[in-house]
Amino acid sequence: MLRPYIEKYYILEYQGTATGQPFEVASPANCYAALVFNYQSDYQLCHANGHEQRLSGSFIAGYSTEGYRIRLRGTVGMVGVVFKSSIFRTWFPALTNADINDQRIQLPDLVGSEVEFINDQLAEAENHTERIQLVESYLMYRLRKTHLPTHMADHALNIILQKRGMIRMDDLAGMVNISPRHLRRVFSERVGLSPKFFARLKRFGYINIILSLNKDLHWQEFTIDGGFYDQSHFIKDFVQFCGHTPSVQILKNRHFQHSVLTNG
């Protein structure tokens, strides 16, 4: 029953070192909203502008328009629910994407004390299967309480996701039967980003995953296949959303894979 709403679940666990040294994970920009249940130690979110935010408990994470890092220390345990498109509003109708883009909003501030017991149950769960079941039970509870009709901006957003960001805005407007100007207005109001920017963000995300999974590929191959006019546009988007060039990213991926193979 939750399949139409959920893109995926993830579980992150990390046992800190004896010296207490933090461990950092870098994340590029992305077009996913997520619900995170943090049932172990707090951790730091390091924004690209240098601002740091301590995260604990449960929170909603919006689309990220720039790269960021998370700094883990101590015992880390969290379950994440990645939503399809802007479907998270089914559970939290008071929010729009514009409210949470590049933000983390504490869940108790939205729903009150009903969520406070979940983190304790997650920490006491015997395995990951049980943790996912606990989270799904809560989502089903919320689903029965609220439901919103589909918005035309959601339809446009889903098309962008299906096309992996590789679509002209005039074509997109035609597919949802509104003018390009009206599309820009309703999409920006609903999502907090213009449809063109969101398409760039999705296109980058798709290409970055492909490069991460295929270490022998050359990024130049994506200039045309990825919907870019030339290499300069491709590099510009990559630097904006990842913080460095595609060549540097490929080297990072290769070094990481080499480390896993030699140490794993």
Side-chain angles (χ1 to χ4, degrees), residues 208 211-212 248-258:
N208 187 44
L211 290 178
S212 298
V248 171
Q249 179 69 4
I250 290 173
L251 285 175
K252 286 178 175 289
N253 292 336
R254 288 175 179 169
H255 289 160
F256 174 76
Q257 291 176 3
H258 174 74

Side-chain angles (χ1 to χ4, degrees), residues 94-120:
L95 286 178
T96 67
N97 293 82
D99 295 325
I100 64 171
N101 289 339
D102 294 308
Q103 302 293 325
R104 305 294 188 274
I105 298 179
Q106 295 296 132
L107 194 55
D109 293 341
L110 297 175
V111 300
S113 60
E114 69 178 35
V115 74
E116 293 178 354
F117 70 95
I118 295 181
N119 285 332
D120 292 336

Side-chain angles (χ1 to χ4, degrees), residues 119-133:
N119 285 332
D120 292 336
Q121 291 182 332
L122 291 172
E124 296 172 359
E126 295 184 357
N127 52 57
H128 294 335
T129 299
E130 188 174 329
R131 291 188 174 97
I132 295 298
Q133 290 173 345

Side-chain angles (χ1 to χ4, degrees), residues 3 5 19 40 66 82 90 93 125 127 191 219-220 237 253:
R3 187 178 297 274
Y5 307 98
T19 61
Q40 293 290 359
E66 56 189 8
V82 180
T90 301
N127 52 57
V191 179
W219 61 264
Q220 290 89 343
D237 274 13
N253 292 336

Side-chain angles (χ1 to χ4, degrees), residues 219-246:
W219 61 264
Q220 290 89 343
E221 299 174 19
F222 292 99
T223 301
I224 302 300
D225 294 341
F228 294 91
Y229 295 111
D230 52 43
Q231 289 187 9
S232 64
H233 283 89
F234 178 71
I235 295 173
K236 179 182 178 181
D237 274 13
F238 213 95
V239 171
Q240 177 178 354
F241 295 136
C242 200
H244 46 250
T245 65

Side-chain angles (χ1 to χ4, degrees), residues 2-40:
L2 292 173
R3 187 178 297 274
Y5 307 98
I6 306 301
E7 180 72 26
K8 61 183 176 182
Y9 299 100
Y10 69 86
I11 295 179
L12 176 61
E13 291 189 334
Y14 170 74
Q15 182 61 53
T17 62
T19 61
Q21 291 296 315
F23 172 68
E24 288 195 351
V25 177
S27 177
N30 63 81
C31 53
Y32 289 107
L35 171 61
V36 179
F37 296 91
N38 182 27
Y39 56 88
Q40 293 290 359

